């Protein structure tokens, strides 16, 4: 049984109780701001709401959906009709691919990892991103962002969240990794950024490490 299998039946309900539709709406807004691509990979998309949104927005011609939890993956498949299913290849491990992608989406997945694993994760993505490919990362953030920073309550909430997921899903991270700082020091180049709840949740689009002409 993979980490998130245990929480898969009620994960979306809990998110809805805590955040309402705010995260779903934020995700949709970000996806809508990205120009359509040929091939898109979504890693750790959970029960597949973000996959369905991407398909309905015609974000890509084809998708690879990499999700470690087989229960989450089953939920994602169940959301799609036969025509939509034909556009998607499902896998558990994102590195088991011979393809390269124009867009790789990481929705609330890097937060499961320690900072050294986030470094490694990003390094592993470089070869499967096309030269002009983009990386979309949506995740919690506790780093100051310009004049904004998460409040004390938000930080305590994140601590609770980690306690919960370490017990139920056996995630590697003991605390939220500094994703923005790691990306800043990486080969990826920031293209655009958006935020929710005064920067507690941040979405960032990065240009491929191999692309010299990103903004
Ligand atoms: C915190 S949940 C987020 C789920 C979903 N993205 C959302 O926002 O509701 C993290 C998800 O990432 C998956 N995951 C973690 N590491 C992964 C990896 N290396 N490859 C694929 N999926 C992964 C977990 O199984 C889990 O479903």
């Amino acid at each position: 049984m993979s980490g998130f299998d245990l929480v898969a039946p009620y994960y979306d309900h809990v998110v809805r109780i805590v955040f309402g539709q705010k995260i779903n709406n934020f995700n949709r807004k970000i996806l809508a701001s990205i120009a359509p691509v040929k091939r898109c990979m979504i890693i750790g998309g959970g029960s597949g709401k973000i996959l369905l949104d991407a398909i309905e927005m015609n974000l890509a011609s084809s998708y690879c959906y990499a999700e470690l939890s087989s229960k989450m993956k089953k939920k994602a498949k169940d959301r799609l009709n036969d025509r939509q299913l034909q556009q998607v290849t499902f896998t558990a491990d994102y590195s088991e691919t011979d393809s390269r992608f124009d867009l790789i989406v990481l929705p609330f997945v890097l937060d499961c990892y320690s900072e050294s694993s986030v470094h490694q994760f990003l390094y592993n993505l470089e070869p499967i991103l096309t030269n002009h490919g983009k990386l979309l990362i949506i995740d919690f953030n506790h780093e100051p962002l310009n004049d904004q920073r998460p409040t004390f309550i938000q930080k305590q909430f994140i601590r609770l969240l980690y306690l919960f997921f370490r017990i139920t899903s056996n995630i590697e991270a003991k605390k939220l990794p500094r994703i923005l700082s790691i990306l800043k020091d990486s080969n990826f180049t920031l293209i655009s950024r958006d935020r929710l709840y005064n920067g507690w949740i941040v979405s960032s689009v990065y240009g491929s490490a191999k692309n010299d002409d990103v903004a």
Side-chain angles (χ1 to χ4, degrees):
M1 185 183 255
S2 141
F4 277 77
D5 278 351
L6 192 66
V7 294
Y10 53 91
Y11 183 90
D12 288 346
H13 302 294
V14 175
V15 172
R16 207 172 309 121
I17 288 167
V18 178
F19 297 101
Q21 285 302 316
K22 281 232 170 187
I23 291 186
N24 282 342
N25 292 343
F26 185 65
N27 289 348
R28 268 199 295 272
K29 177 181 147 197
I30 303 306
L31 293 181
S33 71
I34 293 177
V37 296
K38 214 165 159 203
R39 298 183 56 77
C40 169
M41 175 182 256
I42 298 175
I43 304 175
S47 73
K49 181 74 180 71
I50 196 162
L51 171 64
L52 180 61
D53 285 339
I55 293 175
E56 286 180 345
M57 288 177 190
N58 290 317
L59 183 64
S61 312
S62 68
Y63 301 84
C64 177
Y65 195 74
E67 172 49 64
L68 283 182
S69 156
S70 48
K71 294 219 167 136
M72 287 289 203
K73 207 159 47 187
K74 160 102 178 45
K75 279 177 156 273
K77 283 184 187 171
D78 289 346
R79 283 185 194 273
L80 308 184
N81 63 34
D82 288 347
R83 189 182 49 78
Q84 292 167 331
L85 279 169
Q86 284 176 6
Q87 287 182 265
V88 188
T89 308
F90 289 89
T91 182
D93 185 350
Y94 66 88
S95 64
E96 277 177 9
T97 176
D98 297 330
S99 306
R100 292 171 77 206
F101 298 88
D102 310 301
L103 175 66
I104 299 180
V105 183
L106 297 159
F108 298 92
V109 57
L110 291 180
D111 60 7
C112 299
Y113 292 91
S114 67
E115 294 193 352
S116 60
S117 295
V118 172
H119 274 286
Q120 186 61 47
F121 208 125
L122 295 172
Y123 183 75
N124 294 347
L125 295 182
E126 288 186 25
I128 58 171
L129 202 57
T130 58
N131 284 356
H132 292 265
K134 288 180 180 148
L135 196 60
L136 166 60
I137 297 174
I138 308 173
D139 224 313
F140 286 108
N141 165 58
H142 58 167
E143 299 185 72
L145 205 53
N146 302 336
D147 51 335
Q148 295 183 319
R149 61 184 65 228
T151 63
F152 175 77
I153 302 278
Q154 288 169 336
K155 285 186 182 168
Q156 296 312 310
F157 179 85
I158 288 182
R159 289 182 64 179
L160 254 178
L161 208 65
Y162 273 85
L163 187 66
F164 176 74
F165 281 122
R166 278 182 67 78
I167 294 168
T168 60
S169 312
N170 201 20
I171 62 168
E172 179 193 289
K174 293 193 174 81
K175 58 181 184 166
L176 183 61
R178 288 167 298 169
I179 298 170
L180 301 186
S181 290
I182 293 171
L183 261 301
K184 197 170 177 210
D185 294 338
S186 77
N187 289 327
F188 293 96
T189 311
L190 180 65
I191 297 175
S192 61
R193 176 161 283 161
D194 209 333
R195 61 187 84 177
L196 185 64
Y197 299 117
N198 63 295
W200 188 35
I201 291 174
V202 173
S203 94
S204 313
V205 178
Y206 294 89
S208 159
K210 289 155 286 193
N211 180 6
D212 292 335
D213 47 48
V214 288

